[in-house]
Amino acid sequence: MKKLIATSMFLLFVGSISFGQQNGPERFCGTYEYQKEIFESHPELEESYYAHRLLMNSKMTSTNKAGEKASSYTIPVVFHILHEYGTENISDAQVYDAMEVLNREFNATDPDSVNVVAEYANLMGNANIEFKLAAKDPYGECTNGIEHIYSHETRNGDGFSKISQWNRARYLNIWVVDIIGVSGAAAYAVKPSGTDGNFFWVDGIVSNHTYVGSIGTSAQGREATLTHEVGHYLSLDHL
């Protein structure tokens, strides 16, 4: 699903690589640091990464024509909130807020769209992607797409913290934790090539709880972090 979406959409991936945090140190996007660790341990994934990029670029060039209507996609999302009954156990309301922000920003309806750098203004557009909290879990039972899981893994925030992963072919998995494994990072994602073969278990996004949405333990000015990481999840790079 990810590869199909990434090769068919045309979205300018702009945004800050550093994410400011009120009353605390600046945090950054940890995707490339985590990706470097994976590639150092498994060089074959780096080869897959560059092969995927070449394929994606060729398809973008051959299929995206001016005025051509893009396909629309709906992506079911599940939030796994790992906690020890502290502030990291964010409310469902904070997750709902994060989903509203995510959809606004991917569909160019966010109020701050007017602040896009002038040189990029004509490249900004609607990605034709709708994110929805999952209504059915992997067993076909009704759900609101939010799991609150008591786990000490909230202190690790690494690949092994991705517990209770739902089928990555059907859901975007997001883990919310208290401490991120990549030091100093606000959040990180794994690109499609980093999940090839036996590495399916690292698929998804990990975020510090203070960078989910704009309310609760998060705040105005941090809400774009998740949008940024979803861009990486869909194979987009930093400019």
Side-chain angles (χ1 to χ4, degrees):
M1 180 179 71
K2 280 196 294 182
K3 292 182 180 180
L4 178 61
I5 294 170
T7 54
S8 62
M9 65 185 245
F10 182 62
L11 174 68
L12 180 66
F13 190 34
V14 292
S16 175
I17 296 175
S18 295
F19 309 108
Q21 183 178 21
Q22 297 174 0
N23 302 319
E26 278 200 347
R27 296 177 181 264
F28 62 91
C29 167
T31 292
Y32 287 91
E33 284 70 17
Y34 189 70
Q35 177 177 279
K36 181 180 178 182
E37 292 179 12
I38 292 177
F39 288 169
E40 287 177 348
S41 301
H42 305 278
E44 70 277 11
L45 289 180
E46 186 169 14
E47 295 177 10
S48 174
Y49 168 70
Y50 286 109
H52 172 70
R53 285 190 59 177
L54 287 173
L55 176 63
M56 184 177 70
N57 289 341
S58 67
K59 288 192 175 184
M60 288 282 286
T61 302
S62 63
T63 61
N64 283 280
K65 302 178 178 64
E68 185 177 281
K69 181 175 175 59
S71 299
S72 296
Y73 298 92
T74 299
I75 300 181
V77 182
V78 55
F79 280 78
H80 311 280
I81 301 169
L82 309 186
H83 68 91
E84 294 179 318
Y85 294 106
T87 56
E88 72 281 357
N89 188 18
I90 62 174
S91 68
D92 289 0
Q94 187 170 337
V95 173
Y96 298 147
D97 177 74
M99 290 293 291
E100 289 181 12
V101 172
L102 187 61
N103 279 298
R104 287 201 310 264
E105 296 191 327
F106 261 86
N107 293 287
T109 60
D110 201 69
D112 67 3
S113 296
V114 297
N115 299 323
V116 171
V117 175
E119 288 81 1
Y120 298 148
N122 66 329
L123 297 175
M124 183 180 69
N126 188 335
N128 293 299
I129 299 174
E130 182 180 11
F131 299 90
K132 286 187 174 182
L133 286 170
K136 296 283 187 179
D137 69 14
Y139 303 101
E141 300 295 329
C142 292
T143 178
N144 66 349
I146 305 171
E147 288 192 315
H148 294 264
I149 305 171
Y150 178 79
S151 173
H152 299 309
E153 284 295 331
T154 190
R155 300 186 186 188
N156 296 324
D158 58 16
F160 296 101
S161 301
K162 296 179 176 180
I163 58 179
S164 188
Q165 184 191 65
W166 292 14
N167 187 341
R168 68 188 185 122
R170 298 179 57 197
Y171 305 93
L172 161 55
N173 288 269
I174 300 175
W175 286 267
V176 179
V177 299
D178 189 31
I179 299 173
I180 291 285
V182 179
S183 179
Y188 68 89
V190 180
K191 295 179 184 178
S193 59
T195 64
D196 283 351
N198 293 327
F199 293 87
F200 66 90
W201 56 275
V202 300
D203 186 80
I205 297 170
V206 178
S207 177
N208 182 280
H209 67 95
T210 62
Y211 287 87
V212 176
S214 62
I215 64 172
T217 64
S218 186
Q220 293 283 336
R222 304 180 197 168
E223 67 273 15
T225 301
L226 194 56
T227 305
H228 183 105
E229 298 307 329
V230 171
H232 285 317
Y233 171 84
L234 295 176
S235 209
L236 298 177
D237 286 318
H238 290 162
L239 294 177

